[in-house]
Amino acid sequence: MEIGSVKRIHMNEWKNTGVPFFRARDIVAKFNNKKISDPIYISEETYNSNILKSGKVKKGQLLITGVGTIGIPYLITDDSPLYFKDGNVIWLKNNNYDGNFIFYFFTTNLFKNYLFKITGTGTVGTYTIENAKKTPISTPQINEQIKIGKLFNILENLLALYERKLKLLSQVKKYFLDNLFAEKEYPNLRFKGFTDAWEKIKLKDTQTTLTDGNYANLYPKPADMTDADKGIPFLTGGNLKNGILDLENAKYITKEKHSQLKSGHLEEDDIVIAVRGSLGELGYVTKQNIDWNINSQLAIIRTSKNELIGKFLLYFFLSSKGKSKLLSRQTGTALKQLPLQQLKTIVVPKTLLLEQQKISNILKTIDKTISFYKGKQQHFAEIKNTLLNTMFI
């Protein structure tokens, strides 16, 4: 494989328009599907002059970052004019190899481990042309390379498809939230059959209760902690994620200690809110979360079901207006918090229970669909990673 660079371009030759000129950071942005900030160009005249000496970047070839975040690949997908910064970027001309196959090799743990080995730690690492020439890679026949490259392209396209679906669903959910909870007497969106004005009421004027996880001298000590098999989830702010209770990195308390902390026992349709630490983060209690417990960072918002449905109130707090109201109640400077007395002053919407239920159900359906596609996306990402690290040896 031919590996090299190009003739140097000086800063005084940089332009605001013309032929794209890639630096290492531009390749990193492309790899992460992000927009290039402060893009640089060179004139067509400079480009045409330099490619006579250095050659032209062609479809199927690769550029690899040699400085900064090193070893990041960029696959050339067409023959449009493109130039890059010498020294910062390495050019793999790979004329006798499949570009997709080589690209995916540079994303494997096999290559990353090699890169770590040759650059070491404690210094700013670089990936040079000489390093690239010495990089070990096993390559099958070109026909097999092409098939492997196509396989990973299919997986990438599936992941991109699910990403687009998730983005669209998030936009749909935001549209519903912003138009249902628009701080109006008559919301922008209504279900058929509902025409009454919405009431605005402070939480303290409802039958809603707020309880925090401050257990004073009963608060769990190290001896009261245990594992998932023997204990009860003891939630922290890190377990609240956009309305969901997530047990990733969760802590657990013994059943004996849990029985002493009765005020923190969760009930179905409760809302859990972070009042310290991850301020304003929310979680919703489903049947699967009943009887879990909370630590001192959290509080429970428990509505009376004859006037407010917890799920309805949760979605209000997840809306732009609701989030703003929550965070406007924070106090303190170095150690910020959301005092319960301040939360009780928040004005919330109230409508007929049947309308609350219908609103909760439609938003719950959107959430379930989002969760479904996230699961699919994660599944194919795991397949891709497994194949990457077994097919390249």
Side-chain angles (χ1 to χ4, degrees), residues 18 24 31 35 81 85 106 175 180 201 206-207 245 275:
F31 182 81
K35 185 177 179 181
K85 191 172 184 181
F106 279 96
Y175 175 81
L180 286 166
I201 187 170
T206 70
Q207 300 175 58
L245 298 180
V275 293

Side-chain angles (χ1 to χ4, degrees), residues 307-374:
E307 63 174 354
L308 275 176
I309 296 172
K311 192 75 166 177
F312 174 80
L313 188 59
L314 170 78
Y315 284 123
F316 166 68
F317 285 138
L318 288 173
S319 71
S320 299
K321 295 289 185 183
K323 286 179 183 177
S324 177
K325 286 180 179 290
L326 279 177
L327 296 179
S328 70
R329 266 58 179 186
Q330 63 181 302
T331 62
T333 51
L335 296 173
K336 294 182 179 181
Q337 57 182 325
L338 288 171
L340 300 191
Q341 292 305 316
Q342 288 293 322
L343 291 178
K344 290 178 181 179
T345 67
I346 294 177
V347 176
V348 302
K350 181 183 173 186
T351 183
L352 296 173
L353 287 173
L354 183 57
E355 187 173 15
Q356 291 183 39
Q357 191 63 63
K358 283 184 174 292
I359 289 170
S360 300
N361 287 344
I362 189 67
L363 289 166
K364 181 180 177 181
T365 299
I366 295 173
D367 279 341
K368 282 187 173 181
T369 308
I370 289 173
S371 179
F372 171 79
Y373 283 118
K374 279 185 177 178

Side-chain angles (χ1 to χ4, degrees), residues 223-246:
D224 298 314
M225 308 308 292
T226 185
D227 58 28
D229 292 332
K230 300 177 183 178
I232 303 295
F234 191 58
L235 303 176
T236 69
N239 301 123
L240 311 185
K241 297 181 181 178
N242 198 30
I244 296 171
L245 298 180
D246 187 335

